[in-house]
Amino acid sequence: MSAPENRNGLPVLSVAESGPSERAAERGDAARNRVLLLDAARRLVDERGADSVTTDDIANAAGVGKGTLFRRFGSRAGLMIVLLDEDEKAQQHALLFGPPPLGPGAPPLERLLAYGRHRLKFVDTHHALLSDVGRDPQMRFNAPMTLHHSHVRLLLDEAETTGDLDAQAAALLALLDADYVHHQRTDLGRSLESIADAWETVARKLCGT
Amino acid sequence: MSAPENRNGLPVLSVAESGPSERAAERGDAARNRVLLLDAARRLVDERGADSVTTDDIANAAGVGKGTLFRRFGSRAGLMIVLLDEDEKAQQHALLFGPPPLGPGAPPLERLLAYGRHRLKFVDTHHALLSDVGRDPQMRFNAPMTLHHSHVRLLLDEAETTGDLDAQAAALLALLDADYVHHQRTDLGRSLESIADAWETVARKLCGT
């Protein structure tokens, strides 16, 4: 069967499979599936830890086919990076625009201490994701870590901390590194609370209080 | 041909190929080749950096066959780990038994500051080797790093530093991490001297001086 022709004898492209409204619906489905998959993955990672969550688990929990997961995210790692990225963005929003003492409005030292405890919980929850990403030294020191560095450096500066602020910010962030915290938790059996307290003593010393 | 028999009619194992003296000579050759290969590798790594040194280069410079390198060290990585291990041991010896201010005999803060500058040079020289090894988080926080942690912690303690000494030792060591120092050098263009100065300000603050 030849392609249909319009009145001018030029071929007409078939729109039966992908007309404007179908394409919009497809985009809507894609967006919906993306949200379903990310929500399911976030829930499963929270419940079991990232290491124990497979693509089958995520697709099943989201109620979509595994092929859809791979079409949307390329791979399990791709989905996990998007997940981490969304959670990082939510945390960054809380730091910059959220209520005090994490967000603006509290004295700088108070904000810094709130940041330490908040970030510690974050890296503990997201350990498996952050550890994967952090294995690459480019990721350990470049974006998105530069935002955390700038944030800590700014608070040190606002707290009128003396000395090399970049080195001090780097030192404080190293104590919030996902692998370091994981090592403290699993190899040394320390509680999150005691790691947070230790971090606070270092932060207070650097701020001279 | 049957096996030769001794006077009691018991079979005698042939020693023609590996008698005691030949075996000793073989062990002597093996030890000599090991030293030749390590010396050549150390020289080439110093000259060009570890990334630019191949097993061909090392075998050629040592004047032995490449097969010998693989028999002695298993792989290029195996040789590099032995090389790093020998250099780490030499540094540890200098910390524990060498002359002051790095070794015993100087005041603790002075020893700590000497340690920072010495270790910084070490991780800068050995970046490629340490970076390979440090990619594994087990290696970043367990042996041989525990020795460095103990050393810094002891000096902080001797300097009568207050607060959580483990956290402060970890923070100081994080600023001497090979990948961190490499990032400072290459991505931010900082000199070893300025990194060492920054480290000193953090160490002095933690020691309360």
Side-chain angles (χ1 to χ4, degrees):
Chain A
M1 197 178 91
S2 65
E5 292 183 1
N6 67 9
R7 284 187 299 179
N8 302 321
L10 296 170
V12 174
L13 292 174
S14 166
V15 293
E17 296 260 312
S18 59
S21 64
E22 279 89 354
R23 278 200 297 269
E26 205 177 284
R27 278 198 300 275
D29 275 357
R32 194 179 56 90
N33 287 337
R34 191 173 186 282
V35 171
L36 285 173
L37 285 161
L38 286 172
D39 284 351
R42 184 172 289 114
R43 201 170 59 244
L44 291 169
V45 167
D46 282 351
E47 282 168 20
R48 311 181 194 167
D51 286 341
S52 313
V53 178
T54 67
T55 47
D56 280 319
D57 298 335
I58 298 169
N60 285 341
V64 306
K66 206 160 90 167
T68 304
L69 186 155
F70 286 104
R71 263 198 307 285
R72 291 278 80 80
F73 297 102
S75 65
R76 182 183 178 287
L79 187 150
M80 292 297 181
I81 285 173
V82 172
L83 200 63
L84 180 62
D85 190 54
E86 294 208 339
D87 288 1
E88 283 277 9
K89 278 184 185 138
Q91 189 184 43
Q92 288 167 11
H93 193 270
L95 301 179
L96 301 176
F97 309 109
L102 195 60
L109 177 61
E110 219 175 289
R111 285 188 72 191
L112 182 64
L113 300 182
Y115 170 81
R117 288 187 191 269
H118 197 266
R119 183 67 186 166
L120 200 52
K121 276 187 209 127
F122 186 95
V123 302
D124 188 52
T125 312
H126 293 75
H127 165 252
L129 294 176
L130 285 163
S131 182
D132 258 18
V133 172
R135 204 66 30 98
D136 175 357
Q138 280 303 310
M139 296 294 284
R140 262 175 70 206
F141 304 113
N142 294 324
M145 281 313 294
T146 45
L147 193 136
H148 291 280
H149 185 91
S150 302
H151 185 67
V152 170
R153 194 191 188 291
L154 179 74
L155 294 176
L156 288 172
D157 192 26
E158 286 180 357
E160 298 181 355
T161 301
T162 56
D164 188 305
L165 299 187
D166 282 317
Q168 294 175 75
L172 287 173
L173 287 173
L175 298 180
L176 301 174
D177 171 84
D179 284 325
Y180 174 74
V181 172
H182 187 69
H183 163 70
Q184 295 282 315
R185 298 271 276 151
T186 57
D187 299 340
L188 308 181
R190 294 187 64 180
S191 69
L192 261 195
E193 194 59 25
S194 88
I195 302 171
D197 290 344
W199 192 86
E200 180 168 331
T201 70
V202 181
R204 282 186 181 279
K205 275 190 105 163
L206 294 177
C207 291
T209 68
Chain B
M1 197 176 91
S2 64
E5 293 182 4
N6 68 8
R7 283 186 301 178
N8 302 321
L10 295 170
V12 173
L13 292 173
S14 165
V15 293
E17 295 263 311
S18 58
S21 63
E22 280 88 354
R23 278 200 298 270
E26 205 177 284
R27 279 199 300 273
D29 275 357
R32 194 180 55 91
N33 286 337
R34 191 173 185 283
V35 171
L36 286 173
L37 284 161
L38 286 172
D39 284 351
R42 184 171 289 112
R43 200 170 60 244
L44 290 170
V45 168
D46 281 351
E47 282 168 18
R48 310 182 194 167
D51 287 341
S52 313
V53 178
T54 67
T55 48
D56 280 320
D57 297 336
I58 298 169
N60 285 342
V64 306
K66 206 160 89 165
T68 305
L69 185 155
F70 287 103
R71 264 197 308 284
R72 291 280 79 82
F73 298 101
S75 64
R76 181 183 178 286
L79 187 151
M80 292 297 180
I81 285 174
V82 172
L83 199 63
L84 180 61
D85 189 54
E86 294 207 339
D87 288 1
E88 282 276 7
K89 279 184 184 136
Q91 189 184 42
Q92 288 166 12
H93 193 271
L95 301 179
L96 301 175
F97 310 109
L102 195 59
L109 177 62
E110 218 174 292
R111 286 188 71 192
L112 182 63
L113 300 182
Y115 170 81
R117 287 186 192 271
H118 197 265
R119 183 68 186 166
L120 199 53
K121 274 187 210 127
F122 185 94
V123 302
D124 187 53
T125 312
H126 293 76
H127 164 252
L129 294 176
L130 285 163
S131 181
D132 258 18
V133 172
R135 204 67 29 98
D136 175 358
Q138 281 302 311
M139 297 295 284
R140 260 175 72 205
F141 303 114
N142 295 324
M145 280 314 292
T146 46
L147 193 136
H148 291 280
H149 186 91
S150 304
H151 184 68
V152 170
R153 196 193 186 290
L154 180 74
L155 294 176
L156 287 173
D157 193 27
E158 286 179 358
E160 299 183 354
T161 301
T162 56
D164 188 306
L165 299 187
D166 283 316
Q168 293 174 74
L172 287 173
L173 287 173
L175 298 180
L176 302 173
D177 171 84
D179 284 324
Y180 174 74
V181 172
H182 187 70
H183 162 70
Q184 296 282 315
R185 297 271 277 153
T186 56
D187 299 340
L188 308 182
R190 294 186 64 178
S191 69
L192 261 195
E193 194 60 23
S194 88
I195 301 171
D197 290 344
W199 193 87
E200 179 167 332
T201 71
V202 180
R204 282 187 180 278
K205 275 191 105 164
L206 294 176
C207 292
T209 68

